[in-house]
Amino acid sequence: MSETDHPAGPRSAVRLVDNMRFRQTFRRIPAPVAVVLVATANGGTTGITCTSAQSLSAEPPMAVVAIDDKTGLVPLIRHAGRFSINYLAADRSNWADAFSARGADLAELADIIVPGRTSVPTFATGTTAVLECASAEIHPGGDHWIVSGAIAHARFQADAEPLLYRAGAYGAFRPGGDSVRSDHAAVVPTG
Amino acid sequence: MSETDHPAGPRSAVRLVDNMRFRQTFRRIPAPVAVVLVATANGGTTGITCTSAQSLSAEPPMAVVAIDDKTGLVPLIRHAGRFSINYLAADRSNWADAFSARGADLAELADIIVPGRTSVPTFATGTTAVLECASAEIHPGGDHWIVSGAIAHARFQADAEPLLYRAGAYGAFRPGGDSVRSDHAAVVPTG
């Protein structure tokens, strides 16, 4: 019911969901909050807050993140050939705001950005996990880019709660079970 | 310190993080639990549980998910050209287990898998959100594949809590803030 024609893509006849329905739906889905950092050509650091950074591959170890084209970060990543993913701790939503350009004092944050093991800029504190990616494969993804990278170094803070985001609000993980799962295909006899 | 040489990839000289460190690090990161469903050639349905399904693009509306090569799901998606992402509700961790092939009664689940608006198999109940993807772009990602799709239909259950997974345990989102953010680049004067 909330679908519109969309001119782009190889299947232009397919009606896609409209923008409002798209946003309403993804507001239901919580995601961890990370800041992607990359070095600029002039020796500075640029970063954006995102909620799309995920594990990709175990062998080789890789991570993947979707980056909005309009942030301008992807050309910098392409040039640098490396980037870091900094998963924020639950008490650092102010940093998430800062890297969303919502008016925080960025000069204040400069003190906590340090070169990582592989010299890529990383957060020194305030994270649950930091991944240093030593390469960047970039694939198109609509108005975003899919950026994957091989993980050259990883560190984590075992006692830090991760910051989550859902429906316009920050939050945290509330444990509510003890099951363990792994990814395997299962065939369901339907149809 | 926990890094090993890895032969694969264009930069074979880069030392990558070892498997144990990779897994320890991503155990820190919570993620929403979804089941990806795809029709099989013989009229059945196959699915896998994953924690990597995310929003990708708003215009056009797209989602992305990383799928383990060894699940065998990607050739089915490539053949069908469509798939669904079913984000599970917090009380459905048993379904997450079932699609991880941990011994649940899959015949029981057949009753709740129904054709969606675009005829792709979807869960009829037990979800917070269901995305029907009408296309599939497939990119390599180490031992996984990066699968993106244009969203032809989306529905959500506003009163259902989403299921999360972290450190081997299921859980839920605990709201703990009221900030709103958006993705914009911010330049930090370091270095």
Side-chain angles (χ1 to χ4, degrees), chain B residues 109-141:
Chain B
L109 288 169
D111 290 340
I112 55 92
I113 295 176
V114 298
R117 181 77 58 90
T118 64
S119 83
V120 69
T122 64
F123 281 171
T125 63
T127 61
T128 47
V130 175
L131 310 172
E132 298 179 30
C133 292
S135 64
E137 294 281 322
I138 300 171
H139 305 285

Side-chain angles (χ1 to χ4, degrees), chain A residues 48-187:
Chain A
I48 59 153
T49 300
C50 68
T51 54
S52 58
Q54 293 289 347
S55 166
L56 174 58
S57 165
E59 293 288 348
M62 298 177 71
V64 64
V65 59
I67 297 182
D68 194 335
D69 179 64
K70 71 175 183 293
T71 64
L73 205 73
V74 170
L76 296 175
I77 290 175
R78 199 187 298 272
H79 180 262
R82 57 177 65 184
F83 60 101
S84 71
I85 296 171
N86 303 263
Y87 288 101
L88 296 182
D91 58 354
R92 297 300 181 180
S93 61
N94 57 322
W95 293 2
D97 289 342
F99 283 88
S100 302
R102 296 186 61 244
D105 185 350
L106 295 180
E108 181 181 305
L109 287 169
D111 290 340
I112 55 93
I113 294 176
V114 298
R117 181 78 59 88
T118 63
S119 83
V120 69
T122 65
F123 281 171
T125 62
T127 61
T128 47
V130 175
L131 310 172
E132 299 179 31
C133 292
S135 64
E137 294 281 322
I138 301 171
H139 305 285
D143 58 20
H144 282 56
W145 296 93
I146 302 166
V147 180
S148 64
I151 304 171
H153 185 69
R155 57 183 160 88
F156 57 90
Q157 190 71 27
D159 58 354
E161 286 296 308
L163 181 66
L164 287 168
Y165 184 76
R166 181 194 183 219
Y170 293 110
F173 179 79
R174 184 188 71 219
D178 57 0
S179 299
V180 177
R181 55 161 204 87
S182 58
D183 286 349
H184 297 293
V187 176

Side-chain angles (χ1 to χ4, degrees), chain B residues 36-174:
Chain B
V36 175
L37 292 177
V38 61
T40 61
N42 64 6
T45 298
T46 296
I48 59 153
T49 301
C50 68
T51 54
S52 59
Q54 293 289 347
S55 166
L56 173 58
S57 166
E59 292 288 349
M62 297 176 72
V64 65
V65 59
I67 296 182
D68 195 335
D69 179 63
K70 72 175 184 293
T71 65
L73 205 73
V74 170
L76 296 176
I77 291 175
R78 198 187 298 272
H79 180 263
R82 56 178 64 183
F83 59 99
S84 71
I85 296 171
N86 303 264
Y87 288 101
L88 296 182
D91 58 355
R92 295 301 179 178
S93 62
N94 57 321
W95 293 2
D97 289 342
F99 284 87
S100 301
R102 296 186 60 245
D105 185 351
L106 296 181
E108 181 181 306
L109 288 169
D111 290 340
I112 55 92
I113 295 176
V114 298
R117 181 77 58 90
T118 64
S119 83
V120 69
T122 64
F123 281 171
T125 63
T127 61
T128 47
V130 175
L131 310 172
E132 298 179 30
C133 292
S135 64
E137 294 281 322
I138 300 171
H139 305 285
D143 58 21
H144 282 56
W145 296 92
I146 303 166
V147 179
S148 66
I151 303 171
H153 185 69
R155 57 183 160 88
F156 58 90
Q157 191 71 26
D159 57 354
E161 286 296 307
L163 182 66
L164 288 168
Y165 185 76
R166 180 194 183 219
Y170 293 110
F173 179 80
R174 185 187 70 218

Side-chain angles (χ1 to χ4, degrees), chain A residues 21 28 49 154 158 168 179 183, chain B residues 21 28 49 54 154 158 168 179 183:
Chain A
R21 173 63 69 98
R28 310 307 311 165
T49 300
S179 299
D183 286 349
Chain B
R21 173 63 70 97
R28 310 307 311 166
T49 301
Q54 293 289 347
S179 299
D183 286 348

